[in-house]
Amino acid sequence: MKKYIFISGGVCSSLGKGLAATSLANLLESRGLNIQMIKIDPYLNVDAGTMSPYQHGEVYVTDDGAETDLDLGSYARFTRATIRKENSITTGQIYQSVISKEREGRYLGRTVQIIPHITDEIKRRISVVGKRPGIDVTLIEIGGTVGDYESIPYLEAARQMGSDLGPENVLFVHLTLVPEVGGGELKTKPTQHSVKELRELGIQPDMLILRAPRMLPNDMIHKISSFTNVKKDAVIVGYDLTDTIYELPLVYREQRVDDIVIEKLRLHAKEPDLTRWAAMVNILKHPDKTIRIGVVGKYIHLPDSYKSIYEALVHGGIANRVQVDLVKIDSETLENLSKKDLKERLSGLHGILIPGGFGTRGVLGMITAVEYARTSGLPCFGICLGMQIMVIEYARNVLHLANADSTEFKPETTNPVISLLEEQLDVTDMGGTMRLGKSESHILPDTRIHTSYNNEIIFERHRHRYEFNNSYRDPLTEAGLIISGYTPEGELVESVEWSDHRWGVGVQFHPEFKSTPIDPHPLFASFIKASIDHAAKT
Ligand code: GLN
């Protein structure tokens, strides 16, 4: 029988439900179980593709080209589970399919209602993932907070699955907050109210995870257990972690979260093996030294906008046993700086990364930062928009095409070194129409990127509309830009690098989505290595 774990949240948002879900999944994997994860987003957007990174943080892209919530990236970093389109469910998708079925006349004249039609569609989608071959447990994170109107159909579907499948097959985890008020006193009342609200919807949680500033005393756990009807052992404290979030599975293991799940769901599992994970956490807690990397982008003010990039940089640090300090620089603030002031702003850095982005704002500052890196020998890593900026900068300052630009920023430029492919020219529909998902690239031997991957054929994910304009391949190559990666037939440029430079690499794809703390991405590992070497020489 397939098992399901629902994770809901109460009190307020941003308590780290995604991290709780994925840490629990990590722990179950360490016991030899095969898991799947689903994120439910109760908004009406069909996917996260059209949402601003300022509204909702980064858009995470899967191999099969789904544009999803950033929690799926967190699942990919903590677990080995494959993540595809179906692992991300939104209210937009649910209504879209129910309404198209209604238009096709498939409800045979019945009135179409939230219960049972919407809830049935939710259950169907959960089961599609849960019933994948070889899967033991599926964890479903229900976005939002209990009490929101938007979440009600999902909680109802979860309740129904609980009674359809029986208590040994479905487990409910509820995450709440134990806040500290003036004088350092910890408060249990919000938890009490939140569990009450969940029970009013017909769900008795089997486990509580309490976000708290520190471990809670035994008598408080006892009190929470008695007023929520959750066994004392199953009241878990997810206390604040000071060093690294990757420690969370170890914190859960200490409190035997896995044993509780395994017993309740009557699973057969081996003893936990967290050796590699614990060794990785140990590196993060006791690094050999610290390296400072500047991330020069436009969505810097929201910590989640470049989530996977920040994490991948940390992973590059793990590969080299160093701590990576991220210096987040709003590219707009670099515009119009004098050479001296620019040097002052960037001189303490050991490497810079230019991440992806859309639209004109901040582009000039990115070009300025790239020029500084190229001419001063500072390692530079351009990702997607970042690569396009590296090409524009090279065309302007080395090839002396002063008006070189991307048609995204200046449609009428006479030197469009980055431009749209024919097939993108007529696109009017903005949802899901970019070049998206996994594809193959071939890389040239004796290049930085080749040394990093140690492979000529690589598979990475894309999310962009604009491309390197092939008319500029020859002049840019002659001027010294190395075009190091192509699509298999050679029609599109996938990566560029600077000759005569310690490390200057731009890639059109998004390597950050495939990096994990256990398996740091080779490009990030190589970039951090170059930054360490740069630090040693300056
Ligand atoms: N705006 C650029 C494009 O559409 C880059 C996109 C990105 O960085 N993800 O091609």
Side-chain angles (χ1 to χ4, degrees):
M1 191 71 180
K2 304 286 189 184
K3 314 286 181 178
Y4 297 88
I5 302 179
F6 288 94
I7 298 108
S8 56
V11 184
C12 61
S13 58
S14 303
L15 293 183
K17 210 170 345 121
L19 273 183
T22 197
S23 296
L24 172 55
N26 170 297
L27 204 45
L28 295 178
E29 276 192 341
S30 84
R31 309 227 25 188
L33 296 164
N34 286 321
I35 62 108
Q36 273 291 299
M37 304 205 65
I38 298 178
K39 173 72 195 287
I40 290 178
D41 280 301
Y43 47 64
L44 279 164
N45 303 59
V46 171
D47 60 35
T50 54
M51 291 167 100
S52 154
Y54 264 138
Q55 280 266 316
H56 204 67
E58 159 191 289
V59 175
Y60 180 79
V61 182
T62 60
D63 268 351
D64 62 350
E67 298 174 278
T68 70
D69 182 81
L70 53 82
D71 274 327
L72 281 92
S74 172
Y75 304 164
R77 288 186 280 275
F78 279 74
T79 75
R80 293 184 296 272
T82 47
I83 297 173
R84 298 205 284 266
K85 264 194 179 86
E86 304 91 58
N87 297 64
S88 165
I89 297 179
T90 69
T91 302
Q93 292 165 21
I94 301 282
Y95 275 76
Q96 201 174 43
S97 43
V98 169
I99 291 171
S100 17
K101 270 196 219 161
E102 186 274 334
R103 292 289 81 185
E104 287 162 22
R106 285 169 52 196
Y107 292 109
L108 307 172
R110 284 192 296 268
T111 309
V112 182
Q113 294 178 301
I114 295 191
I115 301 171
H117 301 103
I118 294 292
T119 42
D120 281 354
E121 179 62 15
I122 296 169
K123 291 197 284 181
R124 188 190 69 76
R125 284 182 182 239
I126 292 172
S127 311
V128 164
V129 174
K131 288 187 178 152
R132 281 184 190 158
I135 297 306
D136 302 306
V137 188
T138 299
L139 296 95
I140 306 106
E141 178 192 347
I142 304 179
T145 308
V146 170
D148 297 347
Y149 288 126
E150 290 91 342
S151 315
I152 290 174
Y154 296 103
L155 291 164
E156 171 57 15
R159 186 199 64 76
Q160 289 179 17
M161 279 186 79
S163 69
D164 295 350
L165 302 177
E168 71 279 14
N169 296 315
V170 178
L171 186 135
F172 295 100
V173 179
H174 190 56
L175 181 79
T176 71
L177 176 70
V178 176
E180 190 176 280
V181 292
E185 206 186 333
L186 294 162
K187 290 290 180 191
T188 59
K189 188 73 86 191
T191 297
Q192 190 171 341
H193 281 296
S194 178
V195 173
K196 182 166 166 267
E197 209 159 6
L198 190 62
R199 286 166 66 172
E200 275 166 12
L201 295 168
I203 296 175
Q204 164 62 46
D206 301 295
M207 180 185 287
L208 290 180
I209 300 181
L210 310 171
R211 279 303 310 278
R214 52 183 177 272
M215 191 62 196
L216 301 182
N218 231 330
D219 57 341
M220 193 172 274
I221 291 179
H222 188 81
K223 181 174 155 197
I224 293 173
S225 158
S226 61
F227 66 57
T228 57
N229 255 342
V230 175
K231 284 191 192 133
K232 193 163 168 273
D233 286 352
V235 178
I236 309 300
V237 187
Y239 51 82
D240 290 352
L241 296 169
T242 43
D243 294 321
T244 164
I245 48 155
Y246 292 122
E247 206 178 342
L248 197 54
L250 306 178
V251 169
Y252 286 178
R253 172 61 202 150
E254 264 170 34
Q255 299 177 58
R256 306 205 166 266
V257 171
D258 47 330
D259 292 337
I260 299 161
V261 171
I262 285 164
E263 194 190 306
K264 162 92 184 357
L265 296 178
R266 301 198 197 148
L267 286 157
H268 301 284
K270 65 176 183 72
E271 281 303 299
D273 179 4
L274 287 160
T275 332
R276 277 190 75 198
W277 196 267
M280 175 273 290
V281 169
N282 194 45
I283 295 176
L284 285 170
K285 291 180 113 176
H286 308 286
D288 291 347
K289 58 170 131 189
T290 300
I291 287 296
R292 265 191 313 282
I293 301 295
V295 178
V296 184
K298 58 192 292 188
Y299 314 119
I300 287 299
H301 302 290
L302 188 78
D304 280 346
S305 299
Y306 300 121
K307 181 84 184 138
S308 295
I309 292 215
Y310 296 152
E311 292 302 319
L313 285 168
V314 170
H315 305 158
I318 295 171
N320 291 285
R321 307 189 73 89
V322 297
Q323 174 176 326
V324 174
D325 276 359
L326 300 170
V327 182
K328 300 173 186 174
I329 301 169
D330 179 346
S331 55
E332 263 184 311
T333 64
L334 300 182
E335 292 169 8
N336 308 318
L337 284 188
S338 68
K339 279 229 152 47
K340 183 172 155 283
D341 289 346
L342 181 73
K343 190 165 175 222
E344 219 152 81
R345 275 293 295 281
L346 302 181
S347 64
L349 302 173
H350 306 126
I352 60 164
L353 186 147
I354 317 288
F358 296 83
T360 320
R361 189 174 57 75
V363 161
L364 196 59
M366 295 178 210
I367 297 177
T368 309
V370 166
E371 181 183 9
Y372 173 84
R374 186 177 54 76
T375 51
S376 68
L378 184 67
C380 175
F381 192 1
I383 292 183
C384 206
L385 174 68
M387 176 198 113
Q388 299 175 356
I389 297 288
M390 286 172 74
V391 173
I392 296 169
E393 189 278 329
Y394 211 87
R396 285 190 189 177
N397 298 328
V398 182
L399 207 51
H400 304 296
L401 302 175
N403 61 346
D405 221 316
S406 161
T407 53
E408 179 180 8
F409 316 134
K410 199 161 198 201
E412 71 285 1
T413 178
T414 49
N415 277 306
V417 288
I418 305 291
S419 61
L420 280 183
L421 289 183
E422 284 282 301
E423 68 214 42
Q424 284 283 349
L425 285 174
D426 303 326
V427 170
T428 48
D429 203 347
M430 287 296 131
T433 52
M434 280 188 261
R435 181 176 174 211
L436 285 168
K438 172 170 131 176
S439 63
E440 182 176 330
S441 310
H442 290 191
I443 50 188
L444 296 189
D446 302 322
T447 54
R448 287 255 178 275
I449 182 168
H450 185 263
T451 327
S452 311
Y453 282 93
N454 196 18
N455 211 335
E456 269 155 45
I457 297 183
I458 58 166
F459 294 87
E460 294 285 2
R461 297 178 203 163
H462 291 75
R463 181 173 186 256
H464 62 107
R465 236 179 258 288
Y466 294 80
E467 300 281 353
F468 184 111
N469 181 344
N470 288 331
S471 325
Y472 291 89
R473 270 194 204 187
D474 290 345
L476 280 165
T477 311
E478 276 154 33
L481 187 72
I482 301 167
I483 298 180
S484 53
Y486 301 91
T487 45
E489 307 299 327
E491 64 280 55
L492 300 177
V493 170
E494 296 279 43
S495 68
V496 298
E497 50 190 79
W498 292 330
S499 42
D500 305 325
H501 190 279
R502 189 190 296 283
W503 209 97
V505 175
V507 294
Q508 187 59 80
F509 43 80
H510 288 273
E512 71 273 21
F513 293 141
K514 284 175 66 175
S515 189
T516 78
I518 287 290
D519 213 353
H521 192 285
L523 272 179
F524 283 87
S526 163
F527 170 59
I528 297 295
K529 170 81 177 55
S531 306
I532 297 170
D533 294 345
H534 183 75
K537 298 242 164 65
T538 47

